[in-house]
Amino acid sequence: MPTRTDTADRVALVTGGSGGIGKAVVQRLAREGYAVGVHYAGNKATAEALAEEITAAGGKALAVGGDVADETAMAAAFDAVESAFGGLDAVVHTAGVMKLKPIAELDLDELDAMHRTNIRGTFVVNQQAARRLRPGGALVNFSTSVMGLQFPGYGAYVASKGAVEALTLVLARELRGRDVTVNAIAPGPTATPLFLDGKDQETVDRLAAQSPLERLGTPEDIAELAAFLAGPAGHWVNGQTIRDNGGIV
């Protein structure tokens, strides 16, 4: 089967698509003509509103829910997108959680909850994507630039994202012969609710100043790279983790 090259007939599923980076990715792909599955875990109304906004503008979108770590729920979400739009060409897995405490102080229940979403959830989504993506397709996972920055307090979070990077590399090789790429984006400090939660203005300003570009990233900055990797233009990039952080590391 030939590689699909026209983004106007491509279908994408964006996990965590109801807010933050995920929402920006949904909007960016919709502008390119993708039919988009807008996945949510808890923000059903927000996801449905985003899907309705895209549809009202002449695009195609569908809100689908489910815990990313629940294989039955995610199989149903993938099924719904394929049934509505006829197949699947891109999966952008932005869904994740972050708990920040020094390693010596983190409650192990918080560790387990974060790793359930970030590790098991990534495995479940990647497994579904590996089974379903059409030739010419792409899977984009999300890691973090803190892998290189090594901020104190991020130990458990970075451990979960280290697993994501390893899974990305292995799956890219396992899909040899399928004409499907697997990559990961590792954002730096980005102005999303997930990043800003619990940080005072002094901390935010200090982190923003670390980039040579002297600002925080925006969800739209990250969405540009996600759209590139998800589409035909980025199809020669495979098995990579790209630090998308304005030059911090």
Side-chain angles (χ1 to χ4, degrees):
M1 183 182 296
T3 297
R4 301 166 66 84
T5 59
D6 183 1
T7 58
D9 68 353
R10 286 171 73 87
V11 179
L13 171 60
V14 181
T15 68
S18 61
I21 290 172
K23 179 179 180 180
V25 172
V26 167
Q27 293 171 324
R28 180 67 178 81
L29 294 178
R31 287 199 301 272
E32 287 203 11
Y34 284 75
V36 187
V38 184
H39 165 266
Y40 64 90
N43 297 321
K44 180 178 181 179
T46 303
E48 289 180 341
L50 179 57
E52 290 170 4
E53 172 189 313
I54 291 168
T55 302
K60 297 178 181 178
L62 173 71
V64 293
D67 175 0
V68 291
D70 182 330
E71 64 272 30
T72 302
M74 290 313 298
F78 274 76
D79 285 345
V81 173
E82 288 184 313
S83 176
F85 303 126
L88 191 62
D89 302 289
V91 174
V92 183
H93 179 49
T94 76
V97 296
M98 181 170 63
K99 303 290 185 182
L100 303 181
K101 281 185 183 177
I103 292 168
E105 300 173 13
L106 185 72
D107 186 282
L108 292 180
D109 287 341
E110 291 185 300
L111 175 73
D112 291 343
M114 180 165 57
H115 283 198
R116 183 179 187 278
T117 296
N118 293 358
I119 298 178
R120 180 184 169 91
T122 298
F123 195 97
V124 167
V125 171
N126 281 214
Q127 188 175 67
Q128 290 294 325
R131 294 169 176 172
R132 299 172 186 254
L133 283 166
R134 295 187 284 203
L139 168 62
V140 182
N141 287 320
F142 269 72
S143 180
T144 174
S145 283
V146 184
M147 290 287 292
L149 295 169
Q150 301 171 358
F151 292 145
Y154 283 75
Y157 179 66
V158 167
S160 73
K161 292 302 187 177
V164 171
E165 293 193 14
L167 182 62
T168 298
L169 182 63
V170 170
L171 185 55
R173 282 145 182 77
E174 288 182 349
L175 295 182
R176 173 184 291 273
R178 286 276 306 280
D179 191 26
V180 170
T181 62
V182 187
N183 293 289
I185 296 173
T190 305
T192 66
L194 181 68
F195 170 78
L196 296 172
D197 183 43
K199 295 181 175 68
D200 58 31
Q201 191 59 48
E202 181 181 354
T203 299
V204 172
D205 291 343
R206 175 174 52 81
L207 292 171
Q210 289 189 339
S211 165
L213 300 180
E214 297 186 325
R215 66 172 177 85
L216 294 177
T218 68
E220 290 73 23
D221 290 326
I222 311 305
E224 288 295 327
L225 178 56
F228 173 73
L229 293 174
H235 203 62
W236 187 237
V237 182
N238 193 22
Q240 305 300 312
T241 296
I242 300 175
R243 306 286 187 244
D244 196 4
N245 57 34
I248 293 177
V249 291

